[in-house]
């Protein structure tokens, strides 16, 4: 559809009808989510960060536990990063938790522990971009700020009949302009939430429920029978297959953990020593690979033991096969003073206190069963 058709879809009368219909629908159909029962900017901020790349049903219990433990920026800033990551464990994308912690410290230092209420101040916090700032301030204070995330990208591109690449710079700029134009003069927070709710519950990526959509009569994609072609499908990601070894070094009631360093996967978390191997090393060189990898990561000489479990999992663009092997430190004086400083002997019954990767938690479950 040409630009003139899209412009007609964004006329003042069209925008007014969109707001009226969408708000009326949301008033009746909105899910009862715990963060919708508050106007506390801090609580809304936590929900928005957790909801990034995570399903609502998964987020609810995490949000409730997180707010119970850290009810305000001051309590979050005062916490040890290890505890913050432990509360976050299982949500993935752990950089989000570290940025929350850093932002809370900035709020305490620069805003007396009160979450800021201006757009520029919110944007200046670590980890907060244009979408998150707009969501927090429109939902919490009804500020007239647009939002654009996965659900609203789909809704707005279909409503306006935008057939070009929504991932391109031009596509994002266009959709941000649409998001700004369609905002009503009041109830902006409810309107933004209604857009997201529509995308989540009705205007879904596949098989959208157009028959039950409150704004179907206003939708250009519906009118032109292009719903299944808008937005234009993203390029498929090519996944890289990796094989890794995890070495569970046990010494009586204790097991060796390694603190993941900045720039590494799961930075800030603790994990069992693990490293990538070539497929050939899984054959005749397996024992040698385990010994060498453990030495490099921990500084210790170990004696490999039995295979414990193989775990298949995905991280971003990687598909990983993780082979887990038991081991014990070699006895005698050869290990005296050699343990790497970023490793720690931890009592097995204390593993629950340490933030672990998802696979690390599965391994710890084997040890504590």
């Amino acid at each position: 559809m040409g630009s003139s058709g899209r412009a007609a879809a964004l006329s003042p009368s069209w925008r007014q009808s969109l707001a009226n219909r969408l708000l009326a629908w949301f008033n009746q159909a909105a899910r009862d989510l715990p963060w919708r029962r508050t106007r506390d900017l801090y609580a809304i901020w936590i929900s928005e960060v957790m909801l990034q790349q995570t399903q609502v049903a998964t987020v609810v219990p995490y949000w409730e536990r997180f707010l119970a433990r850290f009810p305000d920026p001051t309590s979050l800033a005062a916490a040890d990063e290890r505890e913050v990551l432990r509360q976050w464990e299982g949500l993935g994308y752990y950089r989000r938790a570290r940025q929350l912690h850093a932002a809370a410290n900035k709020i305490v230092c620069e805003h007396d522990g009160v979450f800021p209420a201006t757009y520029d101040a919110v944007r200046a916090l670590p980890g907060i971009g244009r979408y998150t700032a707009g969501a927090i301030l429109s939902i919490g204070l009804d500020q007239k700020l647009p939002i654009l995330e996965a659900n609203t990208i789909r809704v707005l591109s279909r409503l306006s009949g935008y057939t070009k690449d929504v991932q391109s710079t031009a596509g994002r700029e266009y959709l941000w302009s649409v998001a700004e134009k369609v905002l009503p003069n009041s109830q902006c927070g409810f309107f933004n939430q209604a857009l997201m709710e529509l995308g989540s519950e009705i205007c879904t990526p596949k098989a959208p429920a157009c028959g039950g959509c409150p704004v179907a009569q206003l939708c250009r994609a519906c009118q032109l029978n292009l719903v299944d072609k808008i937005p234009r499908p993203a390029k498929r990601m090519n996944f890289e297959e990796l094989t890794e070894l995890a070495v569970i070094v046990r010494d009586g009631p204790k097991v060796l953990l390694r603190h993941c360093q900045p720039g590494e996967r799961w930075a800030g978390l603790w994990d069992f020593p693990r490293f990538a191997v070539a497929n050939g090393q899984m054959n005749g060189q397996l024992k040698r690979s385990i010994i060498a990898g453990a030495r490099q990561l921990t500084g210790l000489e170990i004696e490999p033991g039995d295979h414990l479990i193989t775990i298949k999992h995905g991280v971003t663009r990687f598909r990983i096969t993780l082979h887990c092997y038991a081991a014990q430190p070699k006895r005698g004086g050869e290990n005296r003073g050699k343990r790497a400083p970023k490793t720690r002997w931890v009592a097995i019954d204390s593993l629950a206190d340490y933030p672990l990767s998802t696979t690390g938690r599965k391994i710890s479950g084997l040890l504590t069963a």
Side-chain angles (χ1 to χ4, degrees), residues 103-142:
N105 278 280
K106 187 168 184 175
I107 291 169
V108 169
C109 292
E110 299 181 8
H111 303 284
D112 297 320
V114 178
F115 195 92
T118 65
Y119 180 78
D120 288 343
V122 174
R123 278 297 305 269
L125 297 174
I128 295 188
R130 184 178 180 183
Y131 158 71
T132 305
I136 295 167
L137 295 174
S138 67
I139 294 170
L141 298 176
D142 204 34

Side-chain angles (χ1 to χ4, degrees), residues 315-350:
V315 179
T316 60
R317 62 184 182 87
F318 299 105
R319 292 293 177 262
I320 302 170
T321 300
L322 178 66
H323 302 284
C324 308
Y325 285 85
Q328 61 182 9
K330 282 191 174 180
R331 302 302 175 187
E334 56 193 311
N335 277 329
R336 189 172 296 126
K338 289 186 176 181
R339 180 170 58 82
K342 53 195 172 186
T343 59
R344 180 180 298 178
W345 288 107
V346 175
I348 290 173
D349 58 8
S350 296

